[in-house]
């Protein structure tokens, strides 16, 4: 079996999914979105039968049971994508500023 060289921190930081990318803000985002998904999927569907509200001659409980959870899942995916783009821009900006502070090795 060939010997595998371990990667340095600088090499890992340049990788698409560096290990330090999953800091607390990423984990809190995932936990919050998973909680929202669970509440909508299970909670709203469970209590939908009790809603007796009409929306454009359609019972609201039918809409929640048939389409609400699916649409909310799409919203959650959109929020996740927007937040991850924001985090990546922040990390990229922080990487540029820290790289500019390092002395050159010319």
């Amino acid at each position: 079996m060939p010997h595998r060289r371990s990667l340095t921190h600088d090499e890992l930081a340049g990788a698409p999914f560096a290990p330090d990318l999953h800091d607390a803000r990423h984990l809190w985002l995932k936990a919050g979105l998973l909680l929202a998904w669970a509440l909508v999927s299970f909670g709203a569907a469970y209590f939908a039968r009790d809603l007796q509200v009409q929306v454009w001659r359609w019972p609201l409980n039918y809409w929640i049971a048939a389409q609400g959870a699916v649409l909310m899942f799409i919203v959650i995916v959109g929020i996740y994508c927007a937040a991850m783009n924001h985090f990546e821009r922040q990390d990229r900006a922080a990487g540029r500023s820290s790289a500019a502070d390092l002395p050159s090795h010319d």
Side-chain angles (χ1 to χ4, degrees):
M1 180 179 247
H3 176 66
R4 297 182 87 183
R5 179 178 71 88
S6 61
L7 298 175
T8 66
H9 179 69
D10 291 335
E11 291 171 331
L12 287 173
F17 297 105
D20 59 343
L21 278 178
H22 294 283
D23 56 7
R25 59 191 174 154
H26 294 94
L27 296 176
W28 280 110
L29 172 69
K30 290 175 187 177
L33 293 176
L34 281 172
L35 178 64
W37 169 77
L39 289 174
V40 168
S41 295
F42 301 114
Y46 182 77
F47 293 109
R49 199 175 290 182
D50 296 334
L51 293 174
Q52 298 299 325
V53 178
Q54 297 285 322
V55 178
W56 294 297
R57 291 188 281 157
W58 285 91
L60 185 62
N61 58 354
Y62 171 79
W63 182 84
I64 288 175
Q67 300 297 325
V70 174
L71 293 175
M72 189 62 186
F73 181 74
I74 293 170
V75 168
I76 288 172
V77 169
I79 291 170
Y80 180 77
C81 290
M84 290 304 288
N85 282 336
H86 177 72
F87 292 155
E88 287 177 4
R89 276 189 243 111
Q90 282 181 336
D91 291 341
R92 199 174 306 124
R96 285 189 198 132
S97 66
S98 65
D101 294 339
L102 296 174
S104 64
H105 297 288
D106 294 335

